[in-house]
């Protein structure tokens, strides 16, 4: 197995720029736009998720955008509909999977969601591109997953960062031996402690960044080395909410142009904050690198299926907050009401347990609608976009969103949101975010983790109020009692006998009601 996926990864910057310019002009031609080349790219309008939602509502399913040869249609929160293809490495995640050391001879247990959101299909497409065999495990049924991994000899894992730990612990409890030594993760926070836990067990763990709309955007080739931009996209770092490029090294919003001729997206705003990382990777790949993402930066950022890692670089958060604050003010002048509208649309997705992350984003004022980002945090991913919790953003960690594509991973800390039953795991290491497919949601996750997780069920105080049918029955009993008392009182029995029978008749229904309240069925309502 070669170190690099192909020669494109190590080509000279000049050759890459020339190839990107030709591909960009071809994309613009497909869209009927002026061919401006790389130098004029910044003058083109930014396409935001809120815009895409409105366009798709007006012109379903893809908003009138050019779509070539496709084989799938997926849905992410919004809703937003994304096309998918069956061609080799259509979403380009094969580069990331190859960087993880996965190839021919490996069996990949793919635990991303296959339901509606594209995460599962994306990683299956990538694994097949590198010649690996796929176990399409999806989400849930942890014990069966552990048994399957042991029986077939799974050697690699693809899914949210913490679910592999859950599978390993289930295997240990069942006395099973696993052979998993490689993991390609996204859609949740990969905390340094969790990566160390895997390393102690001989498992190499890398993560990537992508979305349901864009596919693969950037990836790790080594822990803590930044994220190398994919060869099939052009990444810009712009002032949040404006689309104006920032100086190299400064924090701004990630805007991506996809060079896939089947679904060309030009200047698509992700709502994520990052910065260009100086230099090139020590692995020999020569494309630009970006730091780990730092949360929402655009005015209409929607959690709809991303894959993001946790940010790398201790000072990025404060700088991002300052720049995002300025972008927020500009975004409000340009129509910041879009942020509130986006938040409302996303709110329909329901709470996914991400309030803490959203509140932190709002507190730091991270760009275009910080307060809206906080509100959106309450609603929660398997979009697939997954943002890392601030507590996990240490040097070298990558950003992560869980809705990799719509997975629904927004479980509470310690919850095995992949299991079909509602249960708690004391040792669960992290809290995945739902929404983005951040194989780092977003993108692939949405769902799952899109793992889309099981909700905690709490029972309210049992209700003992009698339903209507019991009230009617009680009225009938009362009428019978009154008639019985009348018969007793008008009988020829002694006064003492009449008193005893009257008291007995009155007590019988009372005792029956008391017995029903004490030993009868108890009502209650289950709330999710």
């Amino acid at each position: 197995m070669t170190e690099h996926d192909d020669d494109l990864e190590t080509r000279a910057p000049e050759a890459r720029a020339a190839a990107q310019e030709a591909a960009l002009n071809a994309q613009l031609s497909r869209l009927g736009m002026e061919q401006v080349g790389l130098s004029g790219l910044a003058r083109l309008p930014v396409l935001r998720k809120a815009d895409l939602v409105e366009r798709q509502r007006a012109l379903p399913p893809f908003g009138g955008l050019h779509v070539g040869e496709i084989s799938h249609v997926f849905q992410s929160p919004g809703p937003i509909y994304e096309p998918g293809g069956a061609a080799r490495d259509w979403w380009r995640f094969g580069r990331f999977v190859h960087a993880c050391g996965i190839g021919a001879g490996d069996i990949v247990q793919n635990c991303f969601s296959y339901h509606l959101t594209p995460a599962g299909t994306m990683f299956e497409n990538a694994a097949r591109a590198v010649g690996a065999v796929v176990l399409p495990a999806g989400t849930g049924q942890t014990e069966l997953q552990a048994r399957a991994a042991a029986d077939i000899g799974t050697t690699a894992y693809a899914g949210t960062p913490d679910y592999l730990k859950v599978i390993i612990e289930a295997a240990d409890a069942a006395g099973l031996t696993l052979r998993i030594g490689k993991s390609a993760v996204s859609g949740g926070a990969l905390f340094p402690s969790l990566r160390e836990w895997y390393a102690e067990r001989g498992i190499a763990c890398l993560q990537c960044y992508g979305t349901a709309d864009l596919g693969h955007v950037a990836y790790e080739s080594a822990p803590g080395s930044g994220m190398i931009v994919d060869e099939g996209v052009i990444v810009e770092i712009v002032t949040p909410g404006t689309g104006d490029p920032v100086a190299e090294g400064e924090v701004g919003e990630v805007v991506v142009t996809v060079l896939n001729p089947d679904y060309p997206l030009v200047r698509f705003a992700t709502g994520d904050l990052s910065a260009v990382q100086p230099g090139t990777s020590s692995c020999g790949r020569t494309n630009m690198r970006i730091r780990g993402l730092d949360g929402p930066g655009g005015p209409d950022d929607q959690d709809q299926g991303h894959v993001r890692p946790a940010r790398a670089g201790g000072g990025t958060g404060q700088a991002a907050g300052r720049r995002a604050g300025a972008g927020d003010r500009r975004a409000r002048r340009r129509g910041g009401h879009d942020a509130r509208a986006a938040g409302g649309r996303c709110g329909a997705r329901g709470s996914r347990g991400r309030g803490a992350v959203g509140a932190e984003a709002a507190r730091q004022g991270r760009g275009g609608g910080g307060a809206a980002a906080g509100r959106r945090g309450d609603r929660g991913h398997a979009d697939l976009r997954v943002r890392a919790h601030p507590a996990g953003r240490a040097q070298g960690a990558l950003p992560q969103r869980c809705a990799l594509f719509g997975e629904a991973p927004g479980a509470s800390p310690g919850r095995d949101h992949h299991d079909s039953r509602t249960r708690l795991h004391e040792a669960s290491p992290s809290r995945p975010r739902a929404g983005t497919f951040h194989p780092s949601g977003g993108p692939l996750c949405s769902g799952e983790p899109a793992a889309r997780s099981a909700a905690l069920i709490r029972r309210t105080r049992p209700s003992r109020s009698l339903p209507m049918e019991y009230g009617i029955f009680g009225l009938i009993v009362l009428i019978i009692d009154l008639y019985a008392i009348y018969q007793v009182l008008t009988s020829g029995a002694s006064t003492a006998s009449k008193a005893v029978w009257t008291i007995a008749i009155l007590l019988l229904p009372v005792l029956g009601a008391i017995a029903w309240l004490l030993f009868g069925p108890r009502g209650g309502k289950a709330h999710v």
Side-chain angles (χ1 to χ4, degrees):
M1 182 176 179
T2 60
E3 182 179 359
H4 305 117
D5 190 45
D6 57 27
D7 293 339
L8 298 181
E9 295 182 343
T10 57
R11 57 184 164 174
E14 297 79 10
R16 178 176 292 109
Q20 286 181 341
E21 177 145 359
L24 172 62
N25 284 332
Q27 295 290 68
L28 295 175
S29 178
R30 292 184 185 95
L31 296 172
M33 302 173 66
E34 180 186 358
Q35 300 183 24
V36 297
L38 293 177
S39 61
L41 182 59
R43 299 196 302 268
L44 298 178
V46 169
L47 176 62
R48 297 195 172 276
K49 295 182 182 69
D51 302 329
L52 192 54
V53 170
E54 296 304 323
R55 292 181 64 163
Q56 291 189 355
R57 286 175 180 168
L59 295 171
F62 302 120
L65 297 179
H66 171 82
V67 174
E69 185 175 346
I70 64 171
S71 58
H72 297 77
V73 176
F74 300 96
Q75 183 198 69
S76 294
I80 292 180
Y81 295 94
E82 303 98 9
R88 182 187 182 277
D89 204 15
W90 196 86
W91 287 276
R92 306 175 308 282
F93 282 95
R95 293 192 183 280
F96 168 54
V97 172
H98 182 91
C100 293
I102 299 172
D106 281 308
I107 301 176
V108 180
Q109 188 152 335
N110 184 8
C111 295
F112 282 115
S113 173
Y114 280 82
H115 178 67
L116 280 182
T117 59
T121 305
M122 286 175 162
F123 271 83
E124 176 161 330
N125 180 262
R128 294 175 63 184
V130 299
V133 174
V134 178
L135 171 65
T139 59
Q141 298 181 301
T142 302
E143 289 79 9
L144 288 179
Q145 294 228 26
R147 167 61 65 182
D151 288 348
I152 71 174
T154 295
T155 60
Y157 164 87
T160 54
D162 64 336
Y163 189 45
L164 174 57
K165 184 174 187 288
V166 175
I167 293 176
I168 293 173
E169 290 173 340
D172 290 344
L176 303 173
T177 300
L178 303 185
R179 296 172 51 197
I180 297 175
K182 309 163 189 176
S183 61
V185 305
S186 193
L190 177 57
F191 297 117
S193 59
L194 180 58
R195 201 197 294 256
E196 292 172 5
W197 192 91
Y198 291 141
E200 290 171 358
R201 286 155 182 78
I203 301 174
C205 186
L206 297 176
Q207 61 186 335
C208 69
Y209 166 49
T211 75
D213 320 271
L214 302 168
H216 187 229
V217 176
Y219 60 106
E220 284 184 313
S221 63
S225 61
M227 305 183 71
I228 303 167
V229 172
D230 184 78
E231 297 294 330
V233 299
I234 300 171
V235 171
E236 303 171 83
I237 307 296
V238 307
T239 301
T242 69
D244 302 326
V246 302
E248 184 174 352
E250 290 190 15
V251 175
E253 183 181 8
V254 178
V255 171
V256 181
T257 296
V258 180
L259 303 178
N260 181 353
D262 286 336
Y263 190 47
L265 288 177
V266 176
R267 301 207 80 203
F268 186 83
T270 65
D272 299 324
L273 295 176
S274 187
V276 174
Q277 186 162 323
T280 58
S281 174
S282 60
C283 68
R285 294 173 175 87
T286 57
N287 207 351
M288 67 179 282
R289 294 180 298 167
I290 58 174
R291 300 177 186 175
L293 286 82
D294 199 42
D300 56 359
D301 179 37
Q302 293 183 36
D303 259 342
Q304 69 126 105
H306 280 212
V307 199
R308 298 192 218 191
R311 76 176 175 85
T316 303
Q318 295 176 352
R322 291 192 297 271
R323 176 163 294 279
D328 193 19
R329 291 190 292 274
R330 284 189 289 270
R332 283 196 297 268
R333 289 197 297 270
R334 293 188 173 195
H337 64 278
D338 287 345
R340 294 188 292 275
R345 285 191 295 272
C346 291
R349 292 167 49 201
S351 174
R352 296 280 170 83
R354 295 186 294 178
V357 180
E360 178 68 9
R363 183 181 67 79
Q364 295 189 20
R366 291 176 182 159
R375 293 192 295 274
R376 288 195 301 273
D378 289 334
R379 81 170 180 277
H381 155 201
D383 127 135
L384 270 219
R385 158 166 76 179
V386 180
R387 298 185 180 86
H389 189 282
R393 292 175 181 160
Q395 180 71 31
L398 292 176
Q400 326 216 18
R401 276 189 183 176
C402 201
L404 183 70
F405 315 144
E407 296 186 343
S412 312
R415 166 171 299 288
D416 177 9
H417 58 283
H418 298 270
D419 201 312
S420 57
R421 292 167 304 217
T422 301
R423 59 178 181 159
L424 299 178
H425 290 269
E426 297 179 355
S428 183
S430 68
R431 180 181 76 176
R433 300 276 320 272
T436 318
F437 179 92
H438 274 221
S440 143
L444 301 175
C445 312
S446 126
E448 280 176 65
R452 319 184 170 34
S453 55
L456 279 175
I457 295 178
R458 59 179 176 83
R459 291 197 60 85
T460 60
R461 176 177 162 183
S463 170
R464 293 175 183 162
S465 59
L466 299 180
M468 181 178 293
E469 54 265 35
Y470 286 103
I472 295 174
F473 178 76
L475 181 60
I476 294 173
V477 171
L478 177 61
I479 294 173
I480 294 174
D481 280 354
L482 292 175
Y483 180 77
I485 292 172
Y486 170 79
Q487 292 295 327
V488 169
L489 294 178
T490 57
S491 68
S494 65
T495 303
S497 296
K498 290 180 181 180
V500 171
W501 277 106
T502 299
I503 294 173
I505 292 171
L506 291 174
L507 285 178
L508 282 176
V510 174
L511 294 174
I514 293 174
W516 186 89
L517 290 173
L518 292 176
F519 306 109
R522 298 186 179 185
K525 296 180 180 179
H527 295 275
V528 175

